[in-house]
Amino acid sequence: MAVVFKKTSMLTDVPFHYCPGCTHGIIHRLVAEVLEELGVGNDNIIGVAPVGCAVFAYNYFNCDMMEAAHGRAPAVATGIKRVHPDKLVFTYQGDGDLASIGAAEIVHAAARGEKITTIFVNNAIYGMTGGQMAPTSLPGQVTTTSPYGRDTSHCGYPVKVCEMLSQLDGPAYIQRVSVHDVKNVVAAKKAIRKAFEAQIAGKGFSLIEVLSTCPTNWGLPPQEALKWLEENMIPQFPLGVYKEI
Amino acid sequence: MAKVTFNEESCKGCGLCVEACPKGILRLAPVRINLKGYHPAECADMNACIGCASCARMCPDVVITVEK
Amino acid sequence: MAKVLMKGNEAIAEAAIKAGCRFFFGYPITPQNQIPEYMSKRMPQVGGCFLQAESEVSAINMVYGAAGAGARAMTSSSSPGISLKQEGISYAVGAELPLVVVNMVRGGPGLGSIQPAQSDYYQATRGGGHGDYRLPVFAPSSVQEAVELMATAFDVADKYRNPVMLLGDGMLGQIMEPVEMIQERSEPLPKKPWASGVPEKEGRSIINSLYINPDECEVHNYKLERKYQEITANEVRVQLIDTEGADILLVAYGTMARICQRAAKDAYKQLGLKVGLVRPITLWPYPYEALKNAAEQPSVKHVLSVEMSTGQMVDDVRLAVCGAKPVSFYGRTGGMVPTVKDILAKLSSIKEGM
């Protein structure tokens, strides 16, 4: 028998620290598999992971990694890409990081057409800090800082990153995907690959928004969290390609 | 004929693979626990496995290797 | 090289390029605008990169990325912008990244004013960001010295893998003076095997300041502390002017030191006072030893710290003198600049008290 599925060499052998059933792990694997399959070589890839559940990404991705301040990964990645235009540069960010404190950085990296790829993990909550409301928390969603449910008249509406950034001319590829079932996991990998290919082709900025779960802070068992994502997040954040040049 | 193997110490017993298996042949070990105290996933009927790797694709901790 | 009449900001930018800096990330703020403007013209000419960031916060993080990728990189700003960069500077210290930050200080706090000031002394020397850390801070008092200190700043940053600050002020940035530009750096830039994506890399490069286990974080902090002790031992720079047998010592840095030099000469003619000047060139590490020795001379009756602030360096003067002699302060703030006349008036009132 031949091996048809095994762990990619783009992941180190450090076990993930993520909570049981958290789909960060799936997304890490997809990014790593794509990076391996692109064949550019570990030494030619530099990743940036800022503060958030994925702050330990430098332990997991088997390439050069930088840990950035909360929200600043696109700026750090800009500095790297300008120094090493030939290297593949990506950021791996959460929704609090990208859509809240780092909103200016992501908008301007996109507007500049910075030739980096951003993997944007949207789980509608601040995971690492214990479940606070995020810019992408859904109307009515209960979190530790919206205990009565997110009241849009009080603290506004979810930020739609793909829709927002696709209005700019700098981005070359923007797609929103999900990992709540096998079919979508396979589709997400294709999307991630297209984003990195856009970078390699020098077309401009690329971003993949991946709807993801947070069983611990949603207060749901892992399998129900996937269902919650499908029934609640996808209507709020429609999947699809938002920019492709 | 296909085969799945589990790196049991990395498993966190989240059960996503069990749900993803089209053949419904995966389960969490009823009694056995790993060093972290989780019931690791296991295959109850290896002969029925078709090697589709759905389980491995849904696993958040890259526990599963699939052969075919 | 022949002398050229240059504006302070532009001379500083050119000196950075001569020192091998090829990456500048900045943001507009008076009174340092000529630095990014000059860089935007020159960097493309030398195959470098100038990028105007969306904010000072982004700019310092771009420098973090570029420095982490092994390049000589810098940013410049003025007081409010430097406040925005403090978190980024603290991260760069934690990740041990060599980079240069230029602060052309203006009146504060808040929006303040755009005229020269020295009211960022605490922020610069006590670390405006979080955590136990220090920055070597160089305070030039002329455009020529600023040019020379830019090369020093990059060398010290690389040598110790620590951010370095060049602290000027609005006046130093705006005045034009004849300058002999430094030579283009001839030897290659130092190898950085720790950096990302560089050929001399040894295995996987990880640029990081997170140490989630407190015991590891403490070990890291003590490593940085040893670095600061080494810098304190090796990098103090100070100028002593006519301090031998002086009656009164002035202590002043940067633009203020030039005015004090003039006041010291006039004090002799007009007040019959022998006035010496201690001019710190590094604000951190501070020249405590040199100031202590000068102050402890039997002839010295008083030490006067003169600053464009409400008195910040005077704390360090007191630390140095340590009660051996009376220490007092004179200054203007908000962008107002003490004049020679003001200083002479203060000196004569001290003389009466002697």
Side-chain angles (χ1 to χ4, degrees):
Chain A
M1 280 193 289
V3 173
V4 293
F5 191 100
K6 69 178 173 57
K7 182 171 182 172
T8 163
S9 63
M10 263 310 294
L11 286 175
T12 66
D13 45 26
V14 177
F16 294 147
H17 70 287
Y18 299 109
C19 306
C22 167
T23 47
H24 256 307
I26 296 175
I27 301 164
H28 274 37
R29 197 195 72 241
L30 296 181
V31 171
E33 283 173 358
V34 166
L35 290 175
E36 182 185 355
E37 286 153 22
L38 286 169
V40 298
N42 299 29
D43 279 337
N44 296 314
I45 302 164
I46 303 167
V48 185
V51 170
C53 286
V55 69
F56 291 117
Y58 55 79
N59 288 328
Y60 307 135
F61 288 112
N62 194 15
C63 58
D64 288 352
M65 291 296 292
M66 278 203 202
E67 196 281 311
H70 196 31
R72 314 309 170 197
V76 172
T78 297
I80 299 167
K81 189 70 177 186
R82 298 309 176 110
V83 173
H84 298 308
D86 56 327
K87 300 285 195 266
L88 204 53
V89 179
F90 71 96
T91 72
Y92 186 104
Q93 302 173 248
D95 43 45
D97 183 271
L98 181 139
S100 200
I101 190 171
E105 276 74 11
I106 198 67
V107 165
H108 286 274
R112 284 193 303 269
E114 206 65 49
K115 296 180 182 62
I116 60 175
T117 300
T118 290
I119 306 299
F120 165 40
V121 179
N122 176 3
N123 59 8
I125 204 150
Y126 279 83
M128 174 197 211
T129 43
Q132 296 78 15
M133 187 182 79
T136 50
S137 292
L138 308 185
Q141 185 174 340
V142 172
T143 74
T144 57
T145 50
S146 59
Y148 309 110
R150 178 174 188 169
D151 173 357
T152 53
S153 67
H154 177 66
C155 49
Y157 299 85
V159 173
K160 298 173 184 168
V161 171
C162 286
E163 290 83 343
M164 206 169 68
L165 296 181
S166 55
Q167 304 306 311
L168 301 170
D169 298 332
Y173 194 78
I174 291 179
Q175 182 174 352
R176 180 182 292 128
V177 297
S178 175
V179 284
H180 66 278
D181 60 27
V182 177
K183 183 166 68 66
N184 277 278
V185 163
V186 172
K189 181 173 177 178
K190 282 201 188 78
I192 291 167
R193 181 170 184 125
K194 288 190 81 172
F196 278 110
E197 283 167 349
Q199 177 178 163
I200 292 171
K203 288 185 187 164
F205 174 75
S206 51
L207 175 141
I208 301 300
E209 178 177 345
V210 189
L211 301 186
S212 185
T213 62
C214 184
T216 299
N217 289 305
W218 290 359
L220 293 170
Q223 190 55 40
E224 283 179 39
L226 295 178
K227 231 156 110 10
W228 190 84
L229 184 158
E230 183 176 14
E231 288 162 3
N232 298 278
M233 286 189 72
I234 291 184
Q236 174 69 57
F237 302 107
L239 307 185
V241 178
Y242 285 81
K243 189 80 185 292
E244 183 169 16
I245 57 172
Chain B
M1 201 13 211
K3 184 179 163 206
V4 282
T5 48
F6 299 83
N7 172 5
E8 290 201 342
E9 289 315 317
S10 294
C11 178
K12 294 171 186 163
C14 73
L16 294 191
C17 59
V18 175
E19 296 289 325
C21 174
K23 294 294 183 184
I25 54 174
L26 299 183
R27 67 176 181 216
L28 299 184
V31 176
R32 195 171 75 259
I33 57 172
N34 65 15
L35 290 175
K36 287 188 228 168
Y38 294 114
H39 291 285
E42 60 181 19
C43 180
D45 179 3
M46 198 63 85
N47 297 328
C49 174
I50 58 171
C52 69
S54 293
C55 56
R57 286 197 169 84
M58 279 312 289
C59 172
D61 289 282
V62 207
V63 167
I64 303 168
T65 301
V66 184
E67 293 164 278
K68 203 173 170 183
Chain C
M1 293 237 313
K3 288 210 170 193
V4 177
L5 194 63
M6 285 186 89
K7 185 183 272 281
N9 282 332
E10 291 178 347
I12 285 168
E14 182 57 35
I17 288 178
K18 289 284 193 291
C21 171
R22 288 296 177 270
F23 293 87
F24 178 91
F25 304 96
Y27 191 80
I29 183 167
T30 301
Q32 58 86 57
N33 292 313
Q34 292 81 10
I35 298 178
E37 286 165 356
Y38 187 87
M39 286 297 198
S40 67
K41 269 183 298 205
R42 280 287 284 146
M43 276 298 186
Q45 294 169 353
V46 294
C49 166
F50 162 83
L51 195 59
Q52 183 168 303
E54 53 272 25
S55 73
E56 288 94 343
V57 177
S58 302
I60 187 69
N61 280 284
M62 289 177 184
V63 178
Y64 179 100
R72 274 196 164 178
M74 70 174 282
T75 185
S76 67
S77 187
S78 173
S79 307
I82 298 292
S83 295
L84 286 174
K85 293 178 194 282
Q86 292 303 320
E87 183 202 33
I89 290 171
S90 176
Y91 268 72
V93 170
E96 297 192 81
L97 294 181
L99 54 89
V100 173
V101 179
V102 174
N103 179 7
M104 306 309 267
V105 181
R106 60 189 257 176
L111 194 47
S113 77
I114 57 171
Q115 282 73 22
Q118 297 183 323
S119 33
D120 296 0
Y121 181 91
Y122 282 153
Q123 182 187 57
T125 60
R126 277 7 183 221
H130 56 286
D132 288 315
Y133 77 94
R134 287 304 181 85
L135 296 192
V137 179
F138 292 97
S141 67
S142 70
V143 174
Q144 183 65 46
E145 189 177 37
V147 158
E148 285 149 15
L149 286 177
M150 270 312 283
T152 309
F154 276 105
D155 291 340
V156 167
D158 277 343
K159 181 177 173 188
Y160 298 96
R161 279 187 64 183
N162 202 82
V164 167
M165 179 173 283
L166 188 92
L167 193 79
D169 58 60
M171 190 183 293
L172 183 73
Q174 295 302 329
I175 55 175
M176 292 188 79
E177 286 188 308
V179 176
E180 190 176 338
M181 186 47 66
I182 53 173
Q183 294 291 339
E184 182 78 34
R185 182 186 170 90
S186 51
E187 65 275 17
L189 293 177
K191 287 271 173 265
K192 295 175 178 175
W194 45 264
S196 311
V198 297
E200 70 265 24
K201 194 159 65 78
E202 289 152 2
R204 212 153 67 84
S205 156
I206 296 179
I207 304 294
N208 163 55
S209 63
L210 173 64
Y211 291 83
I212 199 80
N213 296 320
D215 49 358
E216 289 167 11
C217 196
E218 183 177 52
V219 165
H220 184 58
N221 267 276
Y222 286 139
K223 173 185 176 190
L224 299 178
E225 184 52 31
R226 281 194 300 280
K227 189 189 293 193
Y228 300 136
Q229 283 156 8
E230 214 188 315
I231 295 172
T232 302
N234 304 331
E235 305 297 343
V236 171
R237 289 166 172 80
V238 61
Q239 183 185 19
L240 303 178
I241 302 164
D242 303 333
T243 53
E244 277 296 316
D247 304 319
I248 294 178
L249 282 183
L250 294 178
V251 188
Y253 68 91
T255 304
M256 204 57 247
R258 294 175 70 159
I259 299 167
C260 285
Q261 256 183 285
R262 180 56 192 278
K265 289 194 181 71
D266 292 359
Y268 186 70
K269 279 181 264 164
Q270 296 175 26
L271 304 171
L273 274 174
K274 281 189 67 187
V275 176
L277 171 65
V278 175
R279 179 173 77 92
I281 298 168
T282 52
L283 302 185
W284 191 86
Y286 195 76
Y288 293 113
E289 214 44 45
L291 176 50
K292 179 179 184 310
N293 297 336
E296 282 180 347
Q297 293 176 98
S299 65
V300 171
K301 305 293 179 298
H302 198 97
V303 181
L304 177 65
S305 173
V306 185
E307 304 166 56
M308 293 192 284
S309 70
T310 53
Q312 295 187 18
M313 182 181 67
V314 62
D315 292 4
D316 279 324
V317 174
R318 288 201 175 91
L319 280 176
V321 174
C322 207
K325 299 290 171 60
V327 172
S328 62
F329 162 77
Y330 174 73
R332 303 287 299 274
T333 191
M336 296 305 292
V337 180
T339 62
V340 172
K341 206 158 61 59
D342 298 336
I343 299 165
L344 286 175
K346 177 71 180 176
L347 285 171
S348 72
S349 76
I350 291 171
K351 184 183 173 188
E352 275 144 33
M354 272 161 48

